[in-house]
């Protein structure tokens, strides 16, 4: 294939979240040439969703000629399984049980469709186009409504024997700790370091400290964004919310480092807007909990990809990585 | 190379522990053809140790003709680094700092020498000759004086960016928990699940329960062996010592499973002689702490290799794996 041919090759990247779906046409240089979005949760059956997705995507795809110009479709979605092309028992998706998503997509679009979980896709996006270029060992942690992860070792994503490896949000950081609202587990990383967890911590702490600025907001306005506003204005309780979150995150990261000894840990997602309020305590408690040979070696950095594009880029990267 | 040639090829496998060193000549079928041992801790300098090792090993090697019949030397040792051939700051070795072990060996023996940590070597031994044959994703946990680990993902040992990956004994299972006698960390797996940790737990529990059979032994006779004797005779406190150990181990294993989703976890080392006293609670608490998609999938099994040979086999496997 000539360079001219290669440069005209594109892939369709799709990021499916519990609420919203984003999609885009991406080229080999990691440029998102066209993009769009739609609701995920408006479709009772996955087949209806795929029909609606096709309606939305088809006009974008036609701009690039025939489907033969597409190398395939990559999908990042909750509990996506790389080996089987399925999404299985994802608590955040409207469709229950085991969904043969890749097959359904192939039947509709006439293109091969590779599926993985959203955090794995994000890790792949960082490796091909972002802060992890050239790295063979790193861990991607996504801090959003939930906490996800993608782990790269020896230059490859770790999928495990069943395709579900890298569920670090569900690892236990505090045995017998905070009960998870959905899984019921006690003391998982997600229960503390997700946006949902931060809101819980903030509500508890503001109840203990009536003088906190956080008490000026109604209950349903307490989220990582409003906590950040208060922290930026110097509210010590809001700052403590992030410090505590960062501590729990850092303790978890230390354990991850002693597992796969990555060159870097990349943080991504809405929660990282809290910046140093979370990053500094996370770094402190990671280092403090490390076995000495690992200390002062691991970069703890934020993702370089724009949040709007990262998921689409990561999903499209699946097509070429395969 | 003909099969006849191949069958005459051998490797030297060396397992270096803090106290004792074992070595053996191993063929491609994983047969230990000759073996021997010596003290590690009798040599103040690593060069004296290597000289003494050469004296011991040379007569065995001569039985196989010239050194040209040897494909190399594999060494498993504490804090052994695969990339650099060094052992670095190993608290259990008599030689301090960064030791260029592979280079020193090569200079003395005239053979390439590959180094890794002892648990990685054991994992490799299991993959080539033991319970993990044919597996591409598994974790080996060695439960001895300390707790070590070797992690295989996508068919390869995970070394991490610096060669030190897989220090799962130092991961924290109980933040703020038992202080480690050597590293100073609080609540590490090794502080609970090693033979040393079991002895500490047993001493604490027998002090609380004067009726326990464990109180019949002098302080320095309390170890995982005597706890096993009491447990076998039905002493409920001794049984509780193992149950508690198994719980802490199981909680840690759950986190490991959610990291790399292995097909199996292999347990190895002196502590596994406790059998079901540890295995059953470990299994229970592993399953209990797993995110549902991982439940009832992971085999938790004991090593198949004889403890006497496993370390030598694993070390020799390094030569051929490379």
């Amino acid at each position: 294939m000539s360079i001219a041919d290669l440069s005209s090759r594109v892939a369709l990247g799709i990021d499916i979240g519990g609420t919203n779906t984003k999609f885009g046409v991406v080229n080999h240089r990691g440029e998102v040439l066209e993009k769009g979005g739609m609701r995920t949760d408006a479709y009772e059956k996955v087949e209806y969703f795929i029909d609606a997705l096709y309606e939305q995507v088809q006009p974008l795809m036609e701009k690039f000629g025939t489907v033969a110009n597409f190398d395939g479709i990559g999908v990042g979605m909750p509990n996506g399984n790389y080996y089987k092309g399925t999404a299985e028992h994802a608590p955040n998706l409207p469709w229950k049980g085991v969904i043969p998503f890749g097959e359904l997509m192939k039947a509709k679009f006439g293109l091969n469709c590779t599926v993985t979980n959203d955090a794995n896709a994000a890790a792949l996006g960082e490796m091909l186009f972002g802060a992890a270029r050239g790295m063979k060992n790193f861990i991607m942690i996504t801090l959003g409504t939930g906490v996800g992860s993608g782990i790269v070792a020896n230059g490859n994503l770790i999928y495990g024997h069943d395709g579900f490896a890298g569920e670090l949000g569900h690892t236990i950081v505090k045995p017998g700790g905070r009960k998870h609202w959905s899984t019921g587990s006690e003391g998982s990383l997600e229960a503390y370091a997700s946006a949902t967890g931060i809101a819980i911590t903030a509500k508890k702490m503001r109840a203990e400290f009536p003088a906190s600025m956080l008490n000026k907001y109604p209950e349903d306005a307490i989220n990582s964004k409003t906590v950040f506003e208060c922290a930026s204005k110097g509210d010590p309780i809001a700052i403590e919310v992030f410090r505590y979150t960062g501590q729990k995150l850092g303790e978890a990261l230390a354990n991850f480092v002693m597992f796969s000894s990555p060159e870097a840990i990349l943080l991504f997602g809405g929660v990282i807007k809290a910046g140093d309020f979370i990053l500094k305590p996370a770094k402190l408690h990671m280092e403090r909990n490390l076995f000495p040979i690992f200390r002062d070696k691991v970069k703890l950095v934020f993702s370089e990809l724009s949040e709007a594009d990262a998921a689409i880029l990561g999903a499209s990267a699946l097509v070429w990585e395969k």
Side-chain angles (χ1 to χ4, degrees), chain A:
Chain A
M1 194 180 283
S2 74
I3 290 174
D5 285 340
L6 187 70
S7 67
S8 71
R9 308 296 302 170
V10 286
L12 180 61
I14 304 175
D15 175 64
I16 300 175
T19 312
N20 292 303
T21 290
K22 296 175 211 161
F23 47 82
V25 178
V26 181
N27 69 12
H28 273 256
R29 287 184 296 279
E31 292 161 338
V32 181
L33 306 173
E34 293 285 340
K35 61 181 164 180
M38 61 187 279
R39 299 285 291 190
T40 310
D41 58 3
Y43 305 91
E44 199 189 329
K45 287 191 153 193
V46 66
E47 289 82 0
Y48 304 160
F49 170 80
I50 289 176
D51 288 346
L53 180 67
Y54 187 80
E55 292 294 309
Q56 295 270 325
V57 169
Q58 189 56 21
L60 298 189
M61 290 179 71
E62 276 171 4
K63 297 185 184 176
F64 300 86
T66 67
V67 290
N69 290 328
F70 280 76
D71 282 334
I73 304 172
V75 176
M77 65 194 300
N79 288 23
N81 189 293
Y82 180 75
Y83 296 139
K84 296 191 277 177
T86 52
E88 307 198 0
H89 309 289
N92 299 326
L93 288 180
W95 321 302
K96 299 305 160 202
V98 177
I99 303 153
F101 199 84
E103 263 177 44
L104 294 170
M105 287 291 289
K106 187 177 178 178
K108 186 75 188 183
F109 284 78
L111 282 167
N112 279 325
C113 177
T114 310
V115 174
T116 192
N117 82 44
D118 34 2
N120 281 344
L124 218 44
E126 291 290 341
M127 187 159 67
L128 267 71
F129 309 119
R133 264 169 301 187
M135 288 189 193
K136 290 197 169 303
N137 296 277
F138 70 97
I139 297 177
M140 174 98 188
I141 305 283
T142 61
L143 301 163
T145 315
V147 173
S149 63
I151 305 157
V152 171
N154 297 333
N156 296 307
L157 264 170
I158 296 190
Y159 288 112
H161 87 289
D162 60 353
F164 288 118
E167 286 289 350
L168 299 183
H170 298 292
T171 60
I172 305 301
V173 289
K174 190 178 174 184
R178 184 180 292 173
K179 198 175 166 89
H180 190 287
W181 45 91
S182 154
T183 68
S185 72
E186 293 180 342
S188 69
L189 176 59
E190 184 164 281
Y192 298 99
S194 63
T196 320
I198 291 172
I200 294 171
T201 304
K203 285 172 192 173
K204 280 176 75 168
M205 287 196 183
R206 76 170 188 165
E208 285 176 55
F209 296 93
S212 168
M213 230 181 262
L214 289 166
N215 287 300
K216 291 182 183 160
Y217 296 83
E219 182 85 356
D220 62 1
I222 295 295
N223 53 45
S224 55
K225 194 163 162 285
T226 46
V227 177
F228 178 66
E229 284 168 16
C230 295
S232 300
K233 288 177 193 156
D235 182 64
I237 304 310
I239 292 170
E240 174 60 18
V241 170
F242 284 133
R243 194 211 59 76
Y244 180 76
T245 306
Q247 175 174 349
K248 286 281 157 282
L249 176 61
E251 287 170 1
L253 296 181
N255 280 357
F256 306 158
V257 168
M258 293 188 280
F259 197 104
S260 68
S261 197
E263 181 179 344
I265 293 176
L266 272 59
L267 303 178
F268 176 82
V271 168
I272 68 170
K273 287 178 190 141
D276 277 350
F277 288 124
I278 277 189
L279 194 66
K280 284 190 170 174
K283 177 89 181 160
L284 175 72
H285 288 275
M286 179 180 85
E287 293 292 344
R288 180 176 280 178
N289 282 281
L290 284 173
F291 185 55
I293 50 169
F294 297 109
R295 279 188 199 143
D296 300 319
K297 280 183 177 177
V298 188
K299 295 175 209 119
L300 183 57
V301 291
F302 291 143
S303 160
E304 276 181 9
L305 300 177
S306 88
E307 209 182 333
D309 288 349
I312 294 169
L313 280 174
S316 70
L318 270 173
V319 172
W320 293 307
E321 198 251 358
K322 197 161 195 174

